[in-house]
Every structure is written in C-alpha cells, then in structure tokens.
C-alpha cells in the first residue's frame, strides 16, 4: 500500500490563481480530511468527508472547496488564492469516522501564495 | 470551543536527559487524547493515544503519557532522549464524532549529542 499520497509537494501561486491539491489513499478508508499547518498554530481542520459524496466544513473552511466523488480521492480546491493561504497542507484518512480509528497523514504540500 | 495548549514551544536537551512535554486541554466531557510526532521533512506519525482505562499510556520508541483528568492534562514523557528524537511533537484531542482532531501548537524538541 502506498498509504496517503499528496501532489504536488511544493507549489507557488500568484494571488488570485486557482489550483487543486490532490490527495489519494489506497487503504479503502471512509474518512478523509484536510488540515493546514501554520507556525505556532499546529494543525487546523479545513474540510472532512465521512464517505463518498459526503463532505463537511472544519475549523477553517473559508477559501477552500472539496468534493468526494470516489472513496480514494479527496481533492482540495483553492478558487482564488490569497497570501493568507500560504501554509503546509496535510491530508489524512482513517478507516471510519469513529474516534478509535487512527488517522494516517500524507507527506504534505507546501504552498506559497505571492 | 475546545482548545489544546502546549506550553513549551521549544525544548533543547542533551542526549540521555529526561523529557516531559506539557499538554492541557479545555473540555469537560469525555475526550480521546493523542500525541503525534513529525520528524524533520516527514509527515505526522502517531506516538500514542488514550481512549479509556489505564491513564498511563505507553507508545512507540519509549514514550509514555499520563492522563490526569482532574488537571485536564496529558503530558508526554521519556526517561532518556536520543538525538533521533529531534522532532516536533503535537498533542491532539478528539471530543466528538467524525474523528475531528484539535491540535496544539506543537513543541519543537532539539536533542544535542
């Protein structure tokens, strides 16, 4: 198993540009989520999904869209990038949405918005 | 809203020193508690977790944590650190459903040989 994969690893955008961060898992996990990591703030939940076709907002959803058309993929879209979205983005997945299930994290995408 | 506080932002130790990283959370109900580690250039990995039962939890690589409900704390400990423990450590809490983790700001640990 490759686990949780994310592409790209690094990305530089100009303000106003759009892009999609890709996340995929091959463990048949129902639950997937996106976090952003900022210095001194830990990780904050952006959006999550408890299964294909079901998504919901986390703590900091503004400026981001998600969809979950398949179990494997959970892309994160930035429609109009802003410098405040400069961050490291982590995707995570777990077998179910139950709290007892360990979340597995991807390697991250480092995004810079100029 | 629930929150997690990690009081030590940067810790510098020499090899073989003992380690204790503080973690406090604000929530009065049932909680599940976690410590994650992020080695330089790598993604987060689970060190240990507490759901119920014995409040002293043992994790990987010699780490342990103690849940003290009356103090809303879940401090991470290791009796003797190694250079390879240099990493950033995150405490996290889960209070409700849907596996939503609330993370602390993290503690950067540097261990010198």
């Amino acid at each position: 198993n490759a686990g949780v994969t994310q592409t790209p690893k690094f990305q530089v955008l100009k303000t106003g540009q759009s892009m999609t961060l890709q996340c995929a898992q091959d463990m048949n996990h129902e639950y997937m989520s996106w976090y952003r990591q900022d210095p001194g703030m830990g990780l904050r939940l952006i959006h999550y999904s408890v299964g294909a076709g079901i998504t919901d907002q986390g703590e900091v959803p503004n400026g981001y869209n998600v969809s979950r058309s398949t179990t494997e993929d959970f892309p994160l879209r930035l429609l109009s990038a802003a410098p405040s979205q400069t961050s490291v983005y982590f995707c995570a997945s777990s077998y179910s949405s139950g709290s007892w299930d360990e979340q597995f994290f991807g390697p991250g995408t480092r995004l810079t918005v100029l | 809203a629930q929150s997690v506080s990690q009081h030590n932002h940067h810790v510098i130790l020499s090899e073989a020193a003992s380690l204790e990283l503080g973690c406090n959370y604000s929530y009065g109900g049932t909680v599940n508690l976690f410590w994650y580690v992020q080695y330089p250039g790598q993604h987060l990995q689970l060190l240990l977790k507490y759901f119920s039962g014995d409040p002293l939890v043992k994790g990987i690589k010699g780490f342990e944590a103690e849940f003290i409900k009356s103090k809303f704390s879940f401090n991470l400990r290791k009796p003797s650190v190694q250079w390879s423990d240099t990493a950033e450590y995150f405490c996290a809490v889960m209070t409700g459903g849907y596996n939503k983790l609330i993370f602390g700001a993290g503690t950067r640990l540097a261990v010198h040989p």
Side-chain angles (χ1 to χ4, degrees):
Chain A
N1 286 352
V4 181
T5 58
Q6 292 182 238
T7 56
K9 291 186 177 180
F10 302 94
Q11 183 70 48
V12 179
L13 292 178
K14 294 182 180 179
T15 295
Q17 286 185 314
S18 63
M19 82 158 295
T20 299
L21 307 185
Q22 301 292 344
C23 173
Q25 52 85 15
D26 61 358
M27 298 175 281
N28 200 32
H29 284 176
E30 284 189 355
Y31 182 88
M32 297 184 74
S33 56
W34 278 101
Y35 293 86
R36 60 177 289 173
Q37 183 184 24
D38 300 294
M41 302 188 73
L43 282 80
R44 292 178 293 168
L45 182 65
I46 304 171
H47 284 286
Y48 65 96
S49 169
V50 299
I54 306 170
T55 64
D56 205 347
Q57 297 180 349
E59 181 184 359
V60 288
N62 292 342
Y64 307 95
N65 283 345
V66 292
S67 60
R68 184 96 179 268
S69 56
T70 67
T71 299
E72 294 79 18
D73 301 297
F74 191 44
L76 179 71
R77 281 183 287 276
L78 286 71
L79 296 179
S80 179
S84 61
Q85 294 178 304
T86 293
S87 187
V88 181
Y89 291 85
F90 288 98
C91 180
S93 75
S94 61
Y95 179 71
S96 78
S97 59
S99 59
W100 52 88
D101 281 328
E102 178 182 346
Q103 290 197 39
F104 294 87
F105 285 81
T109 294
R110 186 174 294 273
L111 176 67
T112 301
V113 183
L114 304 175
Chain B
Q2 299 88 16
S3 64
V4 178
S5 298
Q6 291 182 242
H7 311 295
N8 314 102
H9 297 295
H10 292 91
V11 174
I12 302 173
L13 295 173
S14 299
E15 275 192 319
S18 63
L19 170 72
E20 180 161 4
L21 301 182
C23 173
N24 288 90
Y25 63 92
S26 63
Y27 184 71
T30 301
V31 293
N32 298 325
L33 298 156
F34 306 79
W35 276 97
Y36 282 84
V37 61
Q38 187 176 28
Y39 297 103
Q42 297 188 26
H43 56 89
L44 274 78
Q45 303 171 42
L46 182 66
L47 264 183
L48 49 79
K49 59 187 177 183
Y50 171 79
F51 287 152
S52 63
D54 189 344
L56 185 61
V57 180
K58 295 191 183 299
I60 60 172
K61 303 185 180 184
F63 286 91
E64 65 178 31
E66 185 175 12
F67 170 52
I68 303 179
K69 188 175 181 179
S70 61
K71 296 185 177 180
F72 299 90
S73 70
F74 190 55
N75 292 354
L76 181 71
R77 299 194 293 250
K78 186 172 184 178
S80 176
V81 295
Q82 301 173 318
W83 175 80
S84 57
D85 293 324
T86 294
E88 190 161 15
Y89 293 81
F90 294 93
C91 182
V93 169
M94 188 181 301
T95 62
Y98 295 142
N99 215 344
K100 290 189 286 186
L101 288 167
I102 301 168
F103 283 86
T107 297
R108 286 186 182 272
L109 171 66
V111 179
H112 295 302

